[in-house]
Structure formats: structure tokens, C-alpha cells
Amino acid sequence: MGLFHSIFGIPQSTAQSGTAASKRTTFSSGKDTVSLTKGEVVKGEVTDLRSNEVTIRLEDGKTLHAKLSTAMELSIGQEAEFFVQETNDVLITLKLLSDGDTSFAEAAIDKALEASGFPKSAHAADIVRSLLDAGLPANKEMIQKMMQYSASNKDVELSTLTALMKHNLPVSKENATGLQAYRNFEHRLLGQATTLTSALSEAFSYGEVPASFTERLLSQFFGETVTVSESGEASSNIQTNAPTESMNSATVAATVLPNISDASANILSELGNAPLPNTEAGVSGTFPESLPGTVEPNAAPRSDETVPLKQLLPESQYQAVEKALSSLPAELPEYSIIKSSLTDGFLTANQLFSALSSASANGHAEKITTLFKEEPVLSELLGKTVLNRFVMTPEDLTKEKAVEEFYARLKKDLATFTDTLSLDMASSALKTVADTASNMQENIQFMNTLNQIFPYVQLPLKLTEQLTHGELYVYTKKKDLSAKNKEVSILLHLDMDALGPTDIHLSMLQKNVNAKFYLNETDAEHLVSEQLPSLIEALQKKGYSLNASVMHREKEPDIVTDFLSDGEAVPMKRFRFDIRA
């Protein structure tokens, strides 16, 4: 509850009424009796600190003993204001509002630098402050380490470096830049994949791609199948230098997702078909009566890859593709296949590029490369088809080991770019492709690092009519994930075109599912609320019992930061600074 509450604020549905909020509770604290109201602000001097409990001498001289809602940087002798967060007949819970004695903190910083032998400067003071904020000791050794880390990571915030230190993660350049990107929301694989494939299309249309790379690319993307064995190892008929270590995040997600497969897939598909809310005239339109995202056994994949180009492209572009492909050598076996399917209107993008891959491997890579240059529609289609390799569908989430297989394939695909392309190539488009592929590899590696702290995986998703960035956070302890009688609890964050930022908290015990939708816009809240009965009915038909509600999100989430800080008692010193340290 603590983390979820800290991310989204107090749900409106749980707000206290005026009558309930005005109830006063009397507490016995030693020889003093204190009467307080939930929501009241109290001020006083901290006289003692013990773990997460504090003793305060109030302004009227009475002593109050209370529990702290979260770990706070306090010290004996400090004047501070507290918000009365919870009350009962036994204990009161306080939350720090403000530090009434800022000079105390500055004095502590001065003493820490003096005792450590460092001259005072603005940067040195910031370092000590960041250590104290993270609950780390501000002694000579730690200050010295932070100065070294800061010097070698000039573009990284001090709070990012202290977060790595606090969680015993190596303070390397890769980890520092990785965590910084996650905290600044610059980490999304889907955004990186879009940049990569757009640059790839541009490089082909400008004629900047060597024939050897065309052959390797088509062979890797359209001439191989990645499978995952029972042991979790990825295998393929294409040999690459891609890393083979398992993905911690993928393993976690692959364990969790099957437990909520139908529930999550139906919810995602339903949201993916949501019409755009009309902010001026209310909600425009409703969900379709049927559930197009419902996953049936042996259902064919729903993707542009399997849609005939005749349906996918405007007539003018389709004719341009047909004309360009007519220049292929007639003696090629692939030519007759392509020509026949084009004429019948059944040719799909996958079939097209698989045929071109075969022709390229049989000595026609130069001709295929020229084909992409001469017809921009082909280059653009190639980029969009490659992008499909970098996303999952809601249907994918219902399949066993789908996430592991996705990341195994993704790592192999990225290796195609980083192993083949030189970073100092003259082509700016190809350099963007290589740089972005390298950044995506580092992103995946840092995802593994984050999994040492909490289970997390990115889910780049393709819904019915849009691509969306998804993130899965697992609250359930890893050791409990496979236990059938343990509740699985996850948070799924989505960036939706129609609904805006959408956060779904799902918890499931056997076939009982609880779902809370957190949304920013009132129209989006109404839209989802109106469709909950149909979602509940759809899941009931699949044997699930769904209890769902819609909440208004109070603030934008910073989930990574909240996970890094939640549930861990910051080492609170009885005194903010010990001169003997």
C-alpha cells in the first residue's frame, strides 16, 4: 500500500468526510495526555529517535510519542512540523511537513566537511547534502567516493549516484547513465526502436546501405525463427555474436504474466480500442460491443505483418511496389512467387521480405539494395515491418515464455546492427542506427541491473490501432511468484493515445482478479467506467471473477524512484551529524 499510495496519492473514493475527519483522538504519552485530529499539523522539538519512532516536545510543553510514516532525515534537537496522517486509540502516525531549522542542516554539512578535511565549496556541500538525503553516512570515505564518482559522471545528478551506492550497485558509467535515463523517462525501448527503424528506412532510401548489410539484415529478420528451450535458452538457425545470458526481467515477467494472461490481454485489448475522448462535448463514441482483443485458442496473430499489402497500402503505393518488384530478374524462383501473390492481392510484408531475403542470399543483394533506394515505399515498409519485431501484442502475453522469447530475439536483432555497422561510418543515418542499437543493448542490460532491486520489465506493445510504451512492476516477492496460493500483484503503466497515461494495478489470487485503473482525465475515467461491466462479463466467460474500479491519479508517477526508496528504512541517525565520524 505504501508505494502504490505514494505514487498515485489518496484515491478520491477513500477521502474522509468532514464529520469523520473532525474526530479527535486522545493519546497517553508518558505522563502527558494529547488530543489530536487526523489531518492536524503539529510542531515541536525532536527529543528522541528510535528506529521509525519519534518523541516530540510540543509547543505547549507536552511530550508526544509517535510513529513516522516513512524514514525521515531527522535529528535530536531539531524543530520540525508534522502532519497527523493516521490516528487510533493506541498510536499516532506522523509525516514530516517541513524542516523548521534549515540552519541545522547547513551546520551539519559544515561540520561534516570540516571533520573530513575537505574545504567547503558549493559542490562539496551538495555532495554531503545528497549523502544525508539518501541516508548514507557523510564521513570522509563516502565524501571522497562521491567526489570521484561525480568527477567521472559529470552529466549525472548526485541523487542518482547516491541511489546506486545506497542499493549496493556498482557506480559505473553504464549504471549511472542508465539510472539517470530511467529517472528522466528517457529509457523507453519503444521510442528507441522507432528512432532506429526510421533511420534505417532513411539510410536505405538514400542509398547509404552496403549490399552485405542488406543480406545480413534480411536474413536475420526474415529468414530465421527464435525459440526458447525448456531451460530458457534462446536458439536460432542464424549464428550471431549476441549475448546469451538470461534476462532476469524477462524471466520474472514470464513467470507472472501467465498467471494473469487472459485478464491482462483482455484489459489491454479493450483499452487499445478506446475512442478519443471529446473534451468539449463529453465522451465521443463507445467501445465496440464485441471484444476484438479477446484471445481465442489457436488465434492467428493480429499484426500488419499478416495483413496483405493490398489492404495495408494506398492503391498508388501498392502500384509503386508492384512496378519496383517487376524489375527483379525473371529467372529468380522468388520472382514468380512475388508476382503471383501481388496479382492475387494476397502478398504480405513478411512474405515479401522473406522472398527478398532468399534472393539476396542467392547473390542478388546488390539488386535488392538498389530496389530499396529506387522505391521509397519499400524502404518505409521495411522500417515499419522491422519495428514489429520490437513490440509485443496482448495476445503474446498469454503465451508461455513469450517475454523471454521476445528479449532473446531482440538481443539477436540488435546485434545485427552493432556487429555489422561501424560507428564511424560517414552516413549519419547508419550512425544513428548503430548508436541507437547500442543504446538499446545498454538499456536491456540496465534492466537486468534494476532487477537486483525490484522485478521490472518494459513491454513495448502493439495494440489494435496504436503502439504504446508499457512497463510491468511486480510487487509480489520473487519466491512467491510460482506459488498457486499466493496473491500476485503487479502495476502496469501504459501511455495510451485515447486515454492518456494509464496505470493499472492488478492483483490476482487463483481466478479472483482485482483491478484499479488510474487515469488523469475525467473523460477517460468516464469512458473506462462505462465499459467495466462488459469487461467483467468477458472475463467471467473465461472463468475469472473481476472486481474493478476507476480512480483519479493525483500526481504523475516516478515509479522507479519510488521503488528505490520505498519500504527501506533509511539509516536514521539519532543525531544528524556525529563529529566523531
Side-chain angles (χ1 to χ4, degrees):
M1 176 63 181
L3 172 61
F4 201 56
H5 182 278
S6 70
I7 295 173
F8 301 113
I10 302 173
Q12 290 180 342
S13 60
T14 63
Q16 296 288 329
S17 66
T19 302
S22 62
K23 180 182 177 181
R24 301 191 71 81
T25 307
T26 301
F27 301 87
S28 295
S29 184
K31 63 180 180 179
D32 295 325
T33 300
V34 181
S35 180
L36 294 171
T37 304
K38 183 177 179 180
E40 186 177 349
V41 175
V42 296
K43 184 177 181 180
E45 178 187 351
V46 177
T47 59
D48 195 18
L49 286 169
R50 305 281 177 177
S51 184
N52 66 334
E53 297 181 358
V54 63
T55 302
I56 306 167
R57 183 183 296 112
L58 302 176
E59 292 180 302
D60 61 3
K62 291 184 178 181
T63 298
L64 173 65
H65 183 73
K67 177 184 176 182
L68 295 171
S69 62
T70 57
M72 305 171 189
E73 193 64 33
L74 291 169
S75 61
I76 293 175
Q78 180 180 351
E79 293 280 345
E81 288 184 327
F82 299 88
F83 172 80
V84 180
Q85 194 172 57
E86 295 291 342
T87 61
N88 57 49
D89 295 334
V90 180
L91 191 64
I92 180 173
T93 303
L94 300 178
K95 182 176 181 179
L96 182 65
L97 277 183
S98 63
D99 188 340
D101 187 5
T102 55
S103 62
F104 192 97
E106 296 305 315
I109 291 173
D110 289 343
K111 290 180 182 179
L113 291 172
E114 180 183 349
S116 302
F118 292 103
K120 184 177 180 181
S121 66
H123 182 60
D126 287 342
I127 284 177
V128 175
R129 189 176 293 106
S130 68
L131 288 169
L132 294 175
D133 288 343
L136 296 171
N139 54 34
K140 182 176 182 178
E141 180 184 359
M142 293 298 286
I143 296 173
Q144 206 164 32
K145 281 185 178 180
M146 274 294 293
M147 286 186 170
Q148 293 172 353
Y149 294 147
S150 177
S152 56
N153 298 278
K154 295 185 182 297
D155 296 329
V156 178
E157 296 174 7
L158 294 175
S159 58
T160 297
L161 300 176
T162 54
L164 292 172
M165 296 173 67
K166 178 180 176 179
H167 292 281
N168 299 314
L169 297 176
V171 187
S172 62
K173 185 175 181 60
E174 293 75 19
N175 284 349
T177 55
L179 182 55
Q180 184 74 41
Y182 272 68
R183 298 181 73 179
N184 292 340
F185 303 100
E186 299 169 347
H187 63 292
R188 296 173 175 179
L189 282 172
L190 180 59
Q192 292 175 318
T194 303
T195 299
L196 187 153
T197 52
S198 295
L200 183 67
S201 297
E202 182 180 318
F204 269 106
S205 62
Y206 287 171
E208 299 172 344
V209 176
S212 59
F213 176 70
T214 301
E215 181 178 349
R216 170 74 183 274
L217 176 75
L218 293 175
S219 175
Q220 172 65 34
F221 282 69
F222 304 102
E224 55 94 4
T225 301
V226 177
T227 58
V228 178
S229 67
E230 288 299 319
S231 63
E233 292 293 326
S235 61
S236 169
N237 64 346
I238 299 295
Q239 300 298 318
T240 72
N241 296 322
T244 57
E245 71 274 8
S246 63
M247 275 289 301
N248 291 338
S249 53
T251 302
V252 170
T255 305
V256 176
L257 287 171
N259 293 331
I260 59 166
S261 57
D262 286 343
S264 63
N266 277 275
I267 288 171
L268 288 174
S269 298
E270 184 93 353
L271 288 171
N273 287 291
L276 290 170
N278 186 327
T279 56
E280 295 181 359
V283 179
S284 60
T286 59
F287 286 115
E289 292 182 5
S290 62
L291 293 176
T294 301
V295 182
E296 300 296 338
N298 302 317
R302 301 173 66 247
S303 168
D304 291 345
E305 300 172 20
T306 60
V307 177
L309 295 179
K310 188 77 172 176
Q311 300 176 27
L312 193 64
L313 298 176
E315 182 61 29
S316 59
Q317 291 187 0
Y318 188 78
Q319 291 177 358
V321 170
E322 193 170 16
K323 180 180 178 181
L325 294 176
S326 65
S327 65
L328 287 173
E331 67 273 12
L332 280 177
E334 296 81 14
Y335 175 77
S336 59
I337 297 174
I338 293 175
K339 182 175 176 54
S340 173
S341 297
L342 273 172
T343 302
D344 296 339
F346 296 135
L347 185 68
T348 67
N350 261 7
Q351 291 170 343
L352 168 62
F353 294 122
S354 292
L356 294 182
S357 172
S358 177
S360 180
N362 289 324
H364 296 277
E366 194 75 46
K367 177 62 179 176
I368 303 301
T369 304
T370 303
L371 206 63
F372 285 123
K373 178 184 176 182
E374 293 176 345
E375 184 44 68
V377 174
L378 277 177
S379 300
E380 183 178 349
L381 183 62
L382 176 64
K384 290 181 177 179
T385 308
V386 169
L387 182 59
N388 284 328
R389 300 266 296 192
F390 294 158
V391 296
M392 304 182 71
T393 66
E395 290 86 345
D396 291 333
L397 303 183
T398 67
K399 301 172 185 176
E400 187 176 358
K401 296 186 178 180
V403 179
E404 287 179 273
E405 184 172 324
F406 169 74
Y407 273 99
R409 185 183 70 232
L410 180 57
K411 290 195 291 183
K412 283 180 174 292
D413 289 347
L414 294 176
T416 298
F417 300 113
T418 56
D419 292 351
T420 309
L421 298 177
S422 171
L423 295 182
D424 58 357
M425 285 183 171
S427 164
S428 60
L430 281 183
K431 187 177 188 305
T432 298
V433 170
D435 286 342
T436 307
S438 179
N439 291 338
M440 291 178 72
Q441 288 175 320
E442 292 175 2
N443 191 341
I444 294 171
Q445 183 56 46
F446 186 71
M447 227 185 297
N448 271 330
T449 301
L450 276 184
N451 270 263
Q452 298 177 35
I453 306 173
F454 57 85
Y456 162 86
V457 67
Q458 288 191 55
L459 299 175
L461 292 169
K462 182 172 186 176
L463 303 183
T464 305
E465 295 180 356
Q466 65 170 306
L467 298 176
T468 184
H469 165 74
E471 294 177 300
L472 177 74
Y473 302 83
V474 183
Y475 292 82
T476 308
K477 294 180 180 179
K478 290 185 180 182
K479 66 179 181 180
D480 295 335
L481 291 178
S482 59
K484 294 183 179 179
N485 61 343
K486 294 288 186 179
E487 184 179 67
V488 176
S489 183
I490 68 169
L491 173 67
L492 184 63
H493 171 77
L494 301 169
D495 290 321
M496 307 289 290
D497 288 346
L499 302 177
T502 302
D503 295 283
I504 309 170
H505 182 255
L506 288 174
S507 58
M508 180 172 174
L509 181 60
Q510 296 178 344
K511 290 286 186 175
N512 298 314
V513 181
N514 285 291
K516 289 185 179 181
F517 296 80
Y518 286 80
L519 300 138
N520 283 355
E521 301 298 330
T522 302
D523 288 336
E525 292 173 36
H526 291 328
L527 183 62
V528 174
S529 296
E530 290 174 359
Q531 301 308 315
L532 285 183
S534 63
L535 179 61
I536 293 172
E537 182 181 355
L539 289 177
Q540 282 178 341
K541 292 179 181 179
K542 290 183 170 291
Y544 292 90
S545 172
L546 174 65
N547 178 25
S549 58
V550 177
M551 304 287 190
H552 182 76
R553 188 169 57 181
E554 297 296 326
K555 65 175 184 176
E556 290 298 316
D558 186 357
I559 303 175
V560 171
T561 298
D562 286 328
F563 257 105
L564 289 175
S565 60
D566 184 74
E568 298 188 11
V570 176
M572 286 176 32
K573 302 178 179 60
R574 288 167 54 79
F575 296 89
R576 182 168 298 188
F577 175 72
D578 186 344
I579 196 68
R580 297 168 298 177

